[in-house]
Amino acid sequence: MFTFKTFSVDDSMTAMKVGTDGVLLGAWAAGGHRILDIGTGSGLIALMMAQRFSGATITALDIDGDACRQAENNVAASPFAERIEIICKALQEYAASTKEASFDAIVSNPPYFQKSLKSGNVKRTLARHTDTLSFRDLTACSKHLLKDGGTLSLIGPESAREDIEAEAIINGFTVRKLLCLRTKKGKPVSRFMVELVKGFATDYQEREEVLSNDSGGRSEWYHNLTKDFYIK
């Protein structure tokens, strides 16, 4: 059980556990009145978006039944239960059944391994590999579900960035914000966060940050980003 300032998250039934990537994206991603969280797992990012955007309603999707049940329990125990809906369905199926582009923002910590060795844990493989959700399907379905000018915010390893951006551009997105992250100064960029706009972005921002300070604690940037969530 992970206890944050305003909610707690139990991830004991989910393949993908609460981790740095989810917290980073939940604290950084753009929001709006209607938000979609793709691959919600324990519901962490949906809960963080509900805390940050008090007037928003959040739809959270996951393909795994156990994850959906866990997310439902976490949401029910939170102050945001009335504003978050958990749907157990693949993104492709959900998009095919949705005629109107109604979301202002989509967030996702998506599966990103494409050609790596797979775990013997079937659920972990589904959560981490692109077999069930390719970058092309992710961006195409997001385009279908987003309003014009809506945002798609993603996090992933630096090794996947070019592939994700290429598919996004093919599907009519432009990059508005790119944040490259190093674990500490002097280390190579290990992960990225990107804010994509459906249509043409009128501005562009690119920056780098580090996650750890010289003593191994959270950097000033990381602390300020997450201070409304972490207890310490």
Side-chain angles (χ1 to χ4, degrees):
M1 180 74 76
F2 291 81
T3 302
F4 296 89
K5 284 186 176 180
T6 61
F7 60 86
S8 296
V9 175
D10 181 0
D11 64 359
S12 60
M13 295 169 59
T14 62
M16 293 303 294
K17 305 304 182 183
V18 170
T20 301
D21 284 7
V23 173
L24 284 169
L25 185 65
W28 181 84
H33 293 296
R34 290 201 70 211
I35 301 170
L36 176 65
D37 175 21
I38 298 170
T40 195
S42 63
L44 169 66
I45 294 174
L47 288 161
M48 294 181 74
M49 297 299 281
Q51 178 179 321
R52 289 178 57 212
F53 301 97
S54 59
T57 57
I58 294 95
T59 299
L61 292 180
D62 206 284
I63 197 172
D64 179 72
D66 286 340
C68 290
R69 285 187 285 276
Q70 185 121 76
E72 287 173 347
N73 291 338
N74 288 331
V75 167
S78 79
F80 317 116
E82 294 183 357
R83 296 194 286 116
I84 302 175
E85 178 186 17
I86 308 297
I87 297 178
C88 196
K89 188 176 289 188
L91 173 63
Q92 298 91 328
E93 183 184 355
Y94 179 76
S97 66
T98 305
K99 294 182 178 180
E100 182 181 1
S102 60
F103 289 100
D104 303 293
I106 295 177
V107 294
S108 184
N109 178 9
Y112 46 76
F113 288 128
Q114 300 184 84
K115 298 178 181 178
S116 61
L117 292 175
K118 297 180 179 179
S119 165
N121 184 319
V122 174
K123 289 186 177 183
R124 188 168 176 81
T125 293
L126 286 174
R128 292 171 64 86
H129 289 259
T130 59
D131 293 16
T132 56
L133 183 59
S134 66
F135 299 151
R136 180 162 299 181
D137 282 353
L138 172 62
T139 53
C141 292
S142 294
K143 178 184 179 182
H144 174 72
L145 293 165
L146 278 172
K147 296 177 181 178
D148 290 341
T151 58
L152 170 60
S153 298
L154 305 171
I155 189 168
E158 174 64 16
S159 59
R161 180 167 65 86
E162 288 187 1
D163 289 341
I164 288 177
E165 287 186 353
E167 293 295 347
I169 290 169
I170 289 170
N171 279 297
F173 287 90
T174 54
V175 178
R176 182 157 66 193
K177 292 182 181 179
L178 175 63
L179 179 59
C180 298
L181 297 168
R182 303 176 189 272
T183 54
K184 58 194 300 186
K185 289 180 180 179
K187 294 290 187 180
V189 171
S190 58
R191 52 167 66 88
F192 73 97
M193 291 194 287
V194 64
E195 181 184 305
L196 301 153
V197 178
K198 180 181 173 180
F200 294 98
T202 56
D203 57 345
Y204 175 72
Q205 178 187 105
E206 181 175 344
R207 59 187 294 185
E208 286 190 4
E209 296 290 352
V210 295
L211 298 178
S212 299
N213 57 31
D214 293 339
S215 61
R218 288 195 293 273
S219 67
E220 182 179 4
W221 171 83
Y222 189 12
H223 169 77
N224 288 334
L225 180 70
T226 58
K227 64 184 178 181
D228 291 336
F229 298 98
Y230 284 134
I231 293 175
K232 293 183 180 180

